[in-house]
Amino acid sequence: MPYAPRRHRVAALACLVAMAAALLAWAVPASADEADGGRLDWGVKESFRSYMTGPIAQGEITTGDGVSTVGGVYRFHSATGEYDPDSGTASITYTGWVHFWGHDGELDVTFANPSIEYSGSSGTLYVYVNGTRTDMASLSGPAIGGQSGTVAVEGASATLTASGAQAFAGFYEAGAALDPVGFTADVIAAEPEPSSAAPEPSEAAPSEDGEVAGAILDWGVRASWRDYVSGDIAAGSWRAADGAQDGGALFRFTDGAGEAAGGDYELTFVGSVAFTGEGVDLTIADPVVTAEDGRGVLSAEVDGERIDLAEFEAELDERDGLLIAEDVPTTLSEAAVEAFSGYYQGGDEMDPLTIAVPLTADAELPALPDLGSDPETESPSPSEAEAAPAEDETSPLVWAVPAALLVLLAAAATAIAIRRRKADRTETGEAAFEKEPADQTSSTTPSEPSDEGENTKEQ
Ligand code: HEM
């Protein structure tokens, strides 16, 4: 009887196929990359923003935890999560909150730490609404993609979900169009490359005479200034360069060096931030903070001339290996009124500043909201392109292993066929062997459940 031996062979082949599949799965590199830094831009809904600050709700909108507004839209930051380049699937969370308050407190809603689940060209936006994670909107838009280690989706349309509608007290129905969502994230390949990157540099501990280095200065200039520059009127933007970093709601000037002794300090930082737009062309560079008995002045090169920009009162406290003054209120200096074309007056409130001076090698500087790279402007340097193959290029190893498996499979199948031929010759002679191929195709689908209990047992 040819059936029992054939079933045996079928099972053996199925086993080999399963082994091959398992090995193939193992051979494909683990593909979820780590998202590390990036931003999510979402204005919630334009008409809601107008309603909030208009005559009906008479409320206000405040942002926090590093959220900035760019062109009226809220910019959340410091992406964390995962991106799988093989399937084009992202699961990324951003940081920050926006608070809507109106009707004398009857309306009091905070949207915080939004996250996206995005696959291909659609997904879901989640938001913590007064502390509860809520699926807020269904997203659909361009396919997720990117280059140079950055993924991005711009302008995904967002429609309100039923649970999201509750956040608006039912004033919008499920399916209502919300503002579009855009997000970016820097991604780090899943397989960690041997890295020589040292931990956060702390360039110098203070010398005996109070000389310090490696300090940072965080200052956002003024929130309404940034809103004006990026808003409808100036329709502009800013660019941090020369050692300055853009944290969205603040700028970080780096490499601060100088003296800090007793309550007095003088620290010179590097970096520039250039604001440009309709009627706007202002560059602030290389700020210096000087303080005596706690009274401080922040000066900078403004369009090539050093002027006093802001005044503040702060001593540096020693804490966690840092000399630090955090979120110190500042006011505009008289000398800087002209720089802002007279829109603000001397003494007007500007953004708070933070100064941090590392005293020990392992001191941790305050975290800067991490907006990630700009996906439009980045292209790989030739050396990067050489070092890291493009995501859609496949490593030769990925094909070498399956090829080897196929050879193995073919060899095994041949061996089985030869053994069977010998067996058939013994049992039924050459005629039985010749009709074998037809029998095989009709009965050897590995996943098909067997209804031939007797024969199964025979194995
Ligand atoms: C004292 C309680 C409230 C009163 C008297 C009130 C009143 C109103 C009125 C009159 C409108 C219509 C505005 C227009 O058509 O221009 C409106 C719209 C709206 N209200 Fe309220 N409201 C209250 C509480 C709330 C609360 C708790 C929420 C929750 C977030 C809320 C969310 C909204 C929304 C989303 C709209 C639509 C805004 C738009 O896109 O035009 N309201 N409300």
mmCIF file of all heavy atoms in Angstrom, residues 228-279:
data_model
loop_
_atom_site.group_PDB
_atom_site.id
_atom_site.type_symbol
_atom_site.label_atom_id
_atom_site.label_comp_id
_atom_site.label_asym_id
_atom_site.label_seq_id
_atom_site.Cartn_x
_atom_site.Cartn_y
_atom_site.Cartn_z
ATOM 1 N N TYR A 228 3.686 85.174 16.944
ATOM 2 C CA TYR A 228 3.582 86.207 15.903
ATOM 3 C C TYR A 228 4.409 85.809 14.678
ATOM 4 O O TYR A 228 3.929 85.881 13.540
ATOM 5 C CB TYR A 228 4.060 87.549 16.478
ATOM 6 C CG TYR A 228 4.204 88.619 15.437
ATOM 7 C CD1 TYR A 228 3.078 89.187 14.852
ATOM 8 C CD2 TYR A 228 5.464 89.041 15.024
ATOM 9 C CE1 TYR A 228 3.208 90.165 13.862
ATOM 10 C CE2 TYR A 228 5.601 90.014 14.039
ATOM 11 C CZ TYR A 228 4.473 90.567 13.467
ATOM 12 O OH TYR A 228 4.609 91.516 12.483
ATOM 13 N N VAL A 229 5.649 85.387 14.931
ATOM 14 C CA VAL A 229 6.530 85.044 13.807
ATOM 15 C C VAL A 229 5.936 83.897 12.986
ATOM 16 O O VAL A 229 5.929 83.926 11.759
ATOM 17 C CB VAL A 229 7.945 84.674 14.320
ATOM 18 C CG1 VAL A 229 8.796 84.085 13.203
ATOM 19 C CG2 VAL A 229 8.627 85.883 14.927
ATOM 20 N N SER A 230 5.422 82.888 13.690
ATOM 21 C CA SER A 230 4.940 81.704 12.956
ATOM 22 C C SER A 230 3.467 81.814 12.576
ATOM 23 O O SER A 230 2.939 80.938 11.899
ATOM 24 C CB SER A 230 5.161 80.441 13.808
ATOM 25 O OG SER A 230 4.329 80.496 14.955
ATOM 26 N N GLY A 231 2.821 82.887 12.996
ATOM 27 C CA GLY A 231 1.384 83.019 12.747
ATOM 28 C C GLY A 231 1.061 83.578 11.367
ATOM 29 O O GLY A 231 1.941 83.747 10.518
ATOM 30 N N ASP A 232 -0.224 83.878 11.179
ATOM 31 C CA ASP A 232 -0.693 84.285 9.854
ATOM 32 C C ASP A 232 -0.065 85.589 9.375
ATOM 33 O O ASP A 232 0.122 85.785 8.177
ATOM 34 C CB ASP A 232 -2.225 84.475 9.888
ATOM 35 C CG ASP A 232 -2.925 83.142 10.048
ATOM 36 O OD1 ASP A 232 -2.267 82.106 9.788
ATOM 37 O OD2 ASP A 232 -4.105 83.137 10.444
ATOM 38 N N ILE A 233 0.229 86.511 10.296
ATOM 39 C CA ILE A 233 0.676 87.842 9.861
ATOM 40 C C ILE A 233 2.105 87.786 9.309
ATOM 41 O O ILE A 233 2.361 88.169 8.172
ATOM 42 C CB ILE A 233 0.581 88.863 11.026
ATOM 43 C CG1 ILE A 233 -0.860 88.938 11.499
ATOM 44 C CG2 ILE A 233 1.100 90.232 10.597
ATOM 45 C CD1 ILE A 233 -1.079 89.701 12.777
ATOM 46 N N ALA A 234 3.031 87.250 10.121
ATOM 47 C CA ALA A 234 4.422 87.203 9.644
ATOM 48 C C ALA A 234 4.671 85.959 8.788
ATOM 49 O O ALA A 234 5.585 85.941 7.962
ATOM 50 C CB ALA A 234 5.378 87.231 10.826
ATOM 51 N N ALA A 235 3.871 84.941 8.994
ATOM 52 C CA ALA A 235 3.977 83.686 8.221
ATOM 53 C C ALA A 235 5.434 83.230 8.073
ATOM 54 O O ALA A 235 5.870 82.821 7.004
ATOM 55 C CB ALA A 235 3.345 83.859 6.841
ATOM 56 N N GLY A 236 6.177 83.334 9.184
ATOM 57 C CA GLY A 236 7.610 83.032 9.101
ATOM 58 C C GLY A 236 8.016 81.829 9.927
ATOM 59 O O GLY A 236 7.197 80.951 10.221
ATOM 60 N N SER A 237 9.267 81.826 10.304
ATOM 61 C CA SER A 237 9.793 80.692 11.065
ATOM 62 C C SER A 237 11.078 81.134 11.755
ATOM 63 O O SER A 237 11.488 82.286 11.639
ATOM 64 C CB SER A 237 10.093 79.528 10.120
ATOM 65 O OG SER A 237 11.060 79.937 9.169
ATOM 66 N N TRP A 238 11.701 80.196 12.443
ATOM 67 C CA TRP A 238 12.998 80.483 13.056
ATOM 68 C C TRP A 238 13.917 79.310 12.825
ATOM 69 O O TRP A 238 13.477 78.206 12.520
ATOM 70 C CB TRP A 238 12.862 80.752 14.560
ATOM 71 C CG TRP A 238 12.131 79.685 15.290
ATOM 72 C CD1 TRP A 238 12.609 78.474 15.706
ATOM 73 C CD2 TRP A 238 10.760 79.731 15.705
ATOM 74 N NE1 TRP A 238 11.621 77.766 16.349
ATOM 75 C CE2 TRP A 238 10.488 78.508 16.355
ATOM 76 C CE3 TRP A 238 9.743 80.692 15.587
ATOM 77 C CZ2 TRP A 238 9.238 78.223 16.889
ATOM 78 C CZ3 TRP A 238 8.499 80.394 16.121
ATOM 79 C CH2 TRP A 238 8.250 79.169 16.765
ATOM 80 N N ARG A 239 15.183 79.611 12.996
ATOM 81 C CA ARG A 239 16.171 78.566 12.773
ATOM 82 C C ARG A 239 17.250 78.693 13.833
ATOM 83 O O ARG A 239 17.853 79.757 13.988
ATOM 84 C CB ARG A 239 16.770 78.730 11.375
ATOM 85 C CG ARG A 239 17.673 77.606 10.988
ATOM 86 C CD ARG A 239 18.006 77.628 9.511
ATOM 87 N NE ARG A 239 19.080 76.674 9.252
ATOM 88 C CZ ARG A 239 20.358 76.993 9.282
ATOM 89 N NH1 ARG A 239 20.732 78.233 9.525
ATOM 90 N NH2 ARG A 239 21.279 76.074 9.065
ATOM 91 N N ALA A 240 17.448 77.627 14.565
ATOM 92 C CA ALA A 240 18.521 77.605 15.573
ATOM 93 C C ALA A 240 19.765 77.022 14.917
ATOM 94 O O ALA A 240 19.677 76.023 14.207
ATOM 95 C CB ALA A 240 18.093 76.765 16.762
ATOM 96 N N ALA A 241 20.913 77.658 15.144
ATOM 97 C CA ALA A 241 22.137 77.189 14.482
ATOM 98 C C ALA A 241 23.361 77.518 15.338
ATOM 99 O O ALA A 241 23.235 78.107 16.425
ATOM 100 C CB ALA A 241 22.262 77.852 13.110
ATOM 101 N N ASP A 242 24.500 77.117 14.857
ATOM 102 C CA ASP A 242 25.798 77.459 15.463
ATOM 103 C C ASP A 242 25.926 76.980 16.904
ATOM 104 O O ASP A 242 26.603 77.619 17.720
ATOM 105 C CB ASP A 242 26.044 78.985 15.417
ATOM 106 C CG ASP A 242 25.843 79.551 14.027
ATOM 107 O OD1 ASP A 242 26.258 78.897 13.059
ATOM 108 O OD2 ASP A 242 25.246 80.649 13.912
ATOM 109 N N GLY A 243 25.252 75.903 17.240
ATOM 110 C CA GLY A 243 25.346 75.383 18.606
ATOM 111 C C GLY A 243 24.074 75.602 19.396
ATOM 112 O O GLY A 243 23.924 75.061 20.492
ATOM 113 N N ALA A 244 23.136 76.385 18.860
ATOM 114 C CA ALA A 244 21.841 76.533 19.537
ATOM 115 C C ALA A 244 20.930 75.398 19.104
ATOM 116 O O ALA A 244 21.054 74.882 17.987
ATOM 117 C CB ALA A 244 21.212 77.872 19.206
ATOM 118 N N GLN A 245 20.035 75.007 20.008
ATOM 119 C CA GLN A 245 19.097 73.924 19.696
ATOM 120 C C GLN A 245 17.669 74.427 19.861
ATOM 121 O O GLN A 245 17.400 75.257 20.717
ATOM 122 C CB GLN A 245 19.339 72.733 20.638
ATOM 123 C CG GLN A 245 20.727 72.124 20.480
ATOM 124 C CD GLN A 245 21.117 71.246 21.665
ATOM 125 O OE1 GLN A 245 20.368 71.104 22.627
ATOM 126 N NE2 GLN A 245 22.296 70.660 21.599
ATOM 127 N N ASP A 246 16.786 73.892 19.034
ATOM 128 C CA ASP A 246 15.389 74.313 19.047
ATOM 129 C C ASP A 246 14.576 73.339 19.889
ATOM 130 O O ASP A 246 14.429 72.170 19.519
ATOM 131 C CB ASP A 246 14.865 74.329 17.603
ATOM 132 C CG ASP A 246 13.451 74.880 17.520
ATOM 133 O OD1 ASP A 246 12.844 75.128 18.567
ATOM 134 O OD2 ASP A 246 12.967 75.059 16.392
ATOM 135 N N GLY A 247 14.087 73.816 21.017
ATOM 136 C CA GLY A 247 13.254 72.953 21.860
ATOM 137 C C GLY A 247 11.781 73.286 21.701
ATOM 138 O O GLY A 247 10.978 72.901 22.537
ATOM 139 N N GLY A 248 11.428 74.022 20.656
ATOM 140 C CA GLY A 248 10.020 74.336 20.403
ATOM 141 C C GLY A 248 9.566 75.531 21.216
ATOM 142 O O GLY A 248 9.360 76.617 20.696
ATOM 143 N N ALA A 249 9.402 75.314 22.527
ATOM 144 C CA ALA A 249 8.953 76.402 23.381
ATOM 145 C C ALA A 249 10.136 77.165 23.973
ATOM 146 O O ALA A 249 9.951 78.115 24.727
ATOM 147 C CB ALA A 249 8.069 75.852 24.489
ATOM 148 N N LEU A 250 11.335 76.690 23.691
ATOM 149 C CA LEU A 250 12.527 77.413 24.154
ATOM 150 C C LEU A 250 13.708 77.050 23.266
ATOM 151 O O LEU A 250 13.674 76.063 22.532
ATOM 152 C CB LEU A 250 12.828 77.089 25.620
ATOM 153 C CG LEU A 250 12.909 75.616 26.018
ATOM 154 C CD1 LEU A 250 14.274 75.037 25.709
ATOM 155 C CD2 LEU A 250 12.636 75.486 27.508
ATOM 156 N N PHE A 251 14.733 77.882 23.357
ATOM 157 C CA PHE A 251 15.955 77.615 22.602
ATOM 158 C C PHE A 251 17.062 77.335 23.608
ATOM 159 O O PHE A 251 17.102 77.960 24.671
ATOM 160 C CB PHE A 251 16.309 78.812 21.721
ATOM 161 C CG PHE A 251 15.167 79.209 20.840
ATOM 162 C CD1 PHE A 251 14.421 80.351 21.114
ATOM 163 C CD2 PHE A 251 14.798 78.409 19.768
ATOM 164 C CE1 PHE A 251 13.336 80.687 20.326
ATOM 165 C CE2 PHE A 251 13.711 78.740 18.974
ATOM 166 C CZ PHE A 251 12.982 79.884 19.257
ATOM 167 N N ARG A 252 17.914 76.418 23.263
ATOM 168 C CA ARG A 252 19.028 76.103 24.160
ATOM 169 C C ARG A 252 20.325 76.604 23.550
ATOM 170 O O ARG A 252 20.699 76.211 22.442
ATOM 171 C CB ARG A 252 19.128 74.599 24.420
ATOM 172 C CG ARG A 252 20.400 74.209 25.152
ATOM 173 C CD ARG A 252 20.310 72.844 25.795
ATOM 174 N NE ARG A 252 19.348 72.853 26.903
ATOM 175 C CZ ARG A 252 19.129 71.803 27.700
ATOM 176 N NH1 ARG A 252 19.779 70.657 27.507
ATOM 177 N NH2 ARG A 252 18.264 71.897 28.688
ATOM 178 N N PHE A 253 20.999 77.497 24.274
ATOM 179 C CA PHE A 253 22.342 77.932 23.895
ATOM 180 C C PHE A 253 23.319 77.094 24.715
ATOM 181 O O PHE A 253 23.068 76.811 25.893
ATOM 182 C CB PHE A 253 22.498 79.430 24.161
ATOM 183 C CG PHE A 253 21.518 80.264 23.368
ATOM 184 C CD1 PHE A 253 20.271 80.589 23.896
ATOM 185 C CD2 PHE A 253 21.823 80.691 22.084
ATOM 186 C CE1 PHE A 253 19.352 81.334 23.161
ATOM 187 C CE2 PHE A 253 20.916 81.431 21.337
ATOM 188 C CZ PHE A 253 19.672 81.758 21.875
ATOM 189 N N THR A 254 24.375 76.691 24.074
ATOM 190 C CA THR A 254 25.230 75.659 24.682
ATOM 191 C C THR A 254 26.658 76.152 24.906
ATOM 192 O O THR A 254 26.971 77.305 24.637
ATOM 193 C CB THR A 254 25.265 74.419 23.770
ATOM 194 O OG1 THR A 254 25.752 74.831 22.487
ATOM 195 C CG2 THR A 254 23.884 73.805 23.617
ATOM 196 N N ASP A 255 27.483 75.209 25.390
ATOM 197 C CA ASP A 255 28.926 75.457 25.533
ATOM 198 C C ASP A 255 29.232 76.642 26.432
ATOM 199 O O ASP A 255 30.236 77.332 26.217
ATOM 200 C CB ASP A 255 29.552 75.731 24.157
ATOM 201 C CG ASP A 255 30.306 74.510 23.671
ATOM 202 O OD1 ASP A 255 30.557 73.614 24.492
ATOM 203 O OD2 ASP A 255 30.636 74.478 22.474
ATOM 204 N N GLY A 256 28.350 76.882 27.391
ATOM 205 C CA GLY A 256 28.535 78.046 28.262
ATOM 206 C C GLY A 256 29.803 77.922 29.099
ATOM 207 O O GLY A 256 30.049 76.892 29.729
ATOM 208 N N ALA A 257 30.597 78.956 29.096
ATOM 209 C CA ALA A 257 31.846 78.942 29.861
ATOM 210 C C ALA A 257 32.035 80.293 30.523
ATOM 211 O O ALA A 257 31.537 81.316 30.043
ATOM 212 C CB ALA A 257 33.011 78.628 28.936
ATOM 213 N N GLY A 258 32.727 80.277 31.629
ATOM 214 C CA GLY A 258 32.985 81.543 32.312
ATOM 215 C C GLY A 258 33.277 81.289 33.772
ATOM 216 O O GLY A 258 33.888 80.277 34.118
ATOM 217 N N GLU A 259 32.789 82.187 34.596
ATOM 218 C CA GLU A 259 33.062 82.074 36.032
ATOM 219 C C GLU A 259 31.762 82.048 36.805
ATOM 220 O O GLU A 259 30.814 82.744 36.467
ATOM 221 C CB GLU A 259 33.883 83.280 36.480
ATOM 222 C CG GLU A 259 35.344 83.160 36.109
ATOM 223 C CD GLU A 259 36.130 84.375 36.591
ATOM 224 O OE1 GLU A 259 35.701 85.013 37.578
ATOM 225 O OE2 GLU A 259 37.151 84.660 35.957
ATOM 226 N N ALA A 260 31.752 81.247 37.836
ATOM 227 C CA ALA A 260 30.613 81.225 38.746
ATOM 228 C C ALA A 260 31.160 81.050 40.147
ATOM 229 O O ALA A 260 31.676 79.982 40.486
ATOM 230 C CB ALA A 260 29.662 80.083 38.387
ATOM 231 N N ALA A 261 31.103 82.114 40.915
ATOM 232 C CA ALA A 261 31.645 82.062 42.277
ATOM 233 C C ALA A 261 30.722 82.853 43.182
ATOM 234 O O ALA A 261 30.304 83.962 42.833
ATOM 235 C CB ALA A 261 33.053 82.632 42.305
ATOM 236 N N GLY A 262 30.419 82.287 44.355
ATOM 237 C CA GLY A 262 29.475 82.946 45.246
ATOM 238 C C GLY A 262 28.153 83.111 44.514
ATOM 239 O O GLY A 262 27.712 82.247 43.775
ATOM 240 N N GLY A 263 27.523 84.258 44.650
ATOM 241 C CA GLY A 263 26.260 84.478 43.929
ATOM 242 C C GLY A 263 26.476 85.075 42.550
ATOM 243 O O GLY A 263 25.528 85.270 41.810
ATOM 244 N N ASP A 264 27.718 85.374 42.227
ATOM 245 C CA ASP A 264 27.972 86.093 40.973
ATOM 246 C C ASP A 264 28.408 85.134 39.878
ATOM 247 O O ASP A 264 29.064 84.129 40.140
ATOM 248 C CB ASP A 264 29.073 87.146 41.189
ATOM 249 C CG ASP A 264 28.670 88.152 42.248
ATOM 250 O OD1 ASP A 264 27.462 88.189 42.581
ATOM 251 O OD2 ASP A 264 29.560 88.872 42.743
ATOM 252 N N TYR A 265 28.061 85.472 38.673
ATOM 253 C CA TYR A 265 28.504 84.642 37.564
ATOM 254 C C TYR A 265 28.501 85.420 36.262
ATOM 255 O O TYR A 265 27.758 86.391 36.100
ATOM 256 C CB TYR A 265 27.649 83.376 37.418
ATOM 257 C CG TYR A 265 26.160 83.591 37.493
ATOM 258 C CD1 TYR A 265 25.403 83.780 36.342
ATOM 259 C CD2 TYR A 265 25.500 83.619 38.717
ATOM 260 C CE1 TYR A 265 24.031 83.971 36.398
ATOM 261 C CE2 TYR A 265 24.131 83.824 38.782
ATOM 262 C CZ TYR A 265 23.405 83.995 37.633
ATOM 263 O OH TYR A 265 22.053 84.216 37.714
ATOM 264 N N GLU A 266 29.353 84.989 35.392
ATOM 265 C CA GLU A 266 29.360 85.533 34.031
ATOM 266 C C GLU A 266 29.629 84.361 33.106
ATOM 267 O O GLU A 266 30.676 83.714 33.179
ATOM 268 C CB GLU A 266 30.424 86.601 33.847
ATOM 269 C CG GLU A 266 30.471 87.076 32.410
ATOM 270 C CD GLU A 266 31.147 88.438 32.230
ATOM 271 O OE1 GLU A 266 31.108 89.252 33.169
ATOM 272 O OE2 GLU A 266 31.701 88.657 31.149
ATOM 273 N N LEU A 267 28.669 84.065 32.253
ATOM 274 C CA LEU A 267 28.761 82.880 31.396
ATOM 275 C C LEU A 267 28.475 83.270 29.950
ATOM 276 O O LEU A 267 27.484 83.953 29.669
ATOM 277 C CB LEU A 267 27.747 81.821 31.847
ATOM 278 C CG LEU A 267 27.904 81.318 33.283
ATOM 279 C CD1 LEU A 267 26.650 80.597 33.742
ATOM 280 C CD2 LEU A 267 29.109 80.388 33.391
ATOM 281 N N THR A 268 29.341 82.808 29.073
ATOM 282 C CA THR A 268 29.190 83.104 27.645
ATOM 283 C C THR A 268 28.773 81.836 26.918
ATOM 284 O O THR A 268 29.431 80.799 27.057
ATOM 285 C CB THR A 268 30.531 83.589 27.062
ATOM 286 O OG1 THR A 268 30.953 84.719 27.837
ATOM 287 C CG2 THR A 268 30.398 83.991 25.609
ATOM 288 N N PHE A 269 27.698 81.920 26.183
ATOM 289 C CA PHE A 269 27.159 80.747 25.476
ATOM 290 C C PHE A 269 27.326 80.921 23.969
ATOM 291 O O PHE A 269 27.547 82.034 23.492
ATOM 292 C CB PHE A 269 25.676 80.559 25.807
ATOM 293 C CG PHE A 269 25.410 80.357 27.274
ATOM 294 C CD1 PHE A 269 25.288 81.454 28.122
ATOM 295 C CD2 PHE A 269 25.326 79.082 27.819
ATOM 296 C CE1 PHE A 269 25.062 81.279 29.478
ATOM 297 C CE2 PHE A 269 25.093 78.896 29.174
ATOM 298 C CZ PHE A 269 24.973 80.003 30.011
ATOM 299 N N VAL A 270 27.175 79.810 23.259
ATOM 300 C CA VAL A 270 27.231 79.915 21.797
ATOM 301 C C VAL A 270 25.883 79.497 21.196
ATOM 302 O O VAL A 270 25.101 78.781 21.818
ATOM 303 C CB VAL A 270 28.357 79.042 21.176
ATOM 304 C CG1 VAL A 270 29.712 79.438 21.717
ATOM 305 C CG2 VAL A 270 28.087 77.569 21.387
ATOM 306 N N GLY A 271 25.679 79.947 19.980
ATOM 307 C CA GLY A 271 24.465 79.584 19.251
ATOM 308 C C GLY A 271 23.720 80.801 18.768
ATOM 309 O O GLY A 271 23.892 81.904 19.301
ATOM 310 N N SER A 272 22.925 80.593 17.744
ATOM 311 C CA SER A 272 22.132 81.707 17.216
ATOM 312 C C SER A 272 20.733 81.217 16.866
ATOM 313 O O SER A 272 20.537 80.048 16.516
ATOM 314 C CB SER A 272 22.800 82.287 15.962
ATOM 315 O OG SER A 272 22.770 81.341 14.916
ATOM 316 N N VAL A 273 19.786 82.129 16.992
ATOM 317 C CA VAL A 273 18.417 81.839 16.540
ATOM 318 C C VAL A 273 17.996 82.988 15.636
ATOM 319 O O VAL A 273 18.032 84.153 16.051
ATOM 320 C CB VAL A 273 17.439 81.706 17.724
ATOM 321 C CG1 VAL A 273 16.039 81.390 17.207
ATOM 322 C CG2 VAL A 273 17.895 80.625 18.681
ATOM 323 N N ALA A 274 17.666 82.639 14.410
ATOM 324 C CA ALA A 274 17.275 83.657 13.435
ATOM 325 C C ALA A 274 15.775 83.550 13.188
ATOM 326 O O ALA A 274 15.278 82.480 12.818
ATOM 327 C CB ALA A 274 18.046 83.449 12.141
ATOM 328 N N PHE A 275 15.064 84.658 13.416
ATOM 329 C CA PHE A 275 13.618 84.725 13.142
ATOM 330 C C PHE A 275 13.425 85.459 11.819
ATOM 331 O O PHE A 275 13.931 86.576 11.656
ATOM 332 C CB PHE A 275 12.896 85.502 14.247
ATOM 333 C CG PHE A 275 13.025 84.871 15.611
ATOM 334 C CD1 PHE A 275 14.092 85.210 16.452
ATOM 335 C CD2 PHE A 275 12.108 83.943 16.064
ATOM 336 C CE1 PHE A 275 14.217 84.639 17.710
ATOM 337 C CE2 PHE A 275 12.218 83.370 17.324
ATOM 338 C CZ PHE A 275 13.282 83.712 18.150
ATOM 339 N N THR A 276 12.709 84.832 10.929
ATOM 340 C CA THR A 276 12.445 85.487 9.650
ATOM 341 C C THR A 276 10.967 85.329 9.294
ATOM 342 O O THR A 276 10.317 84.368 9.709
ATOM 343 C CB THR A 276 13.288 84.879 8.505
ATOM 344 O OG1 THR A 276 13.118 83.457 8.531
ATOM 345 C CG2 THR A 276 14.758 85.217 8.637
ATOM 346 N N GLY A 277 10.475 86.281 8.528
ATOM 347 C CA GLY A 277 9.077 86.239 8.089
ATOM 348 C C GLY A 277 8.730 87.571 7.481
ATOM 349 O O GLY A 277 9.602 88.429 7.284
ATOM 350 N N GLU A 278 7.458 87.758 7.197
ATOM 351 C CA GLU A 278 7.003 89.019 6.609
ATOM 352 C C GLU A 278 7.280 90.158 7.601
ATOM 353 O O GLU A 278 6.695 90.190 8.688
ATOM 354 C CB GLU A 278 5.495 88.890 6.341
ATOM 355 C CG GLU A 278 4.866 89.996 5.547
ATOM 356 C CD GLU A 278 5.449 90.089 4.133
ATOM 357 O OE1 GLU A 278 5.668 89.027 3.521
ATOM 358 O OE2 GLU A 278 5.686 91.230 3.686
ATOM 359 N N GLY A 279 8.208 91.031 7.273
ATOM 360 C CA GLY A 279 8.568 92.148 8.159
ATOM 361 C C GLY A 279 9.410 91.732 9.352
ATOM 362 O O GLY A 279 9.625 92.535 10.262
#
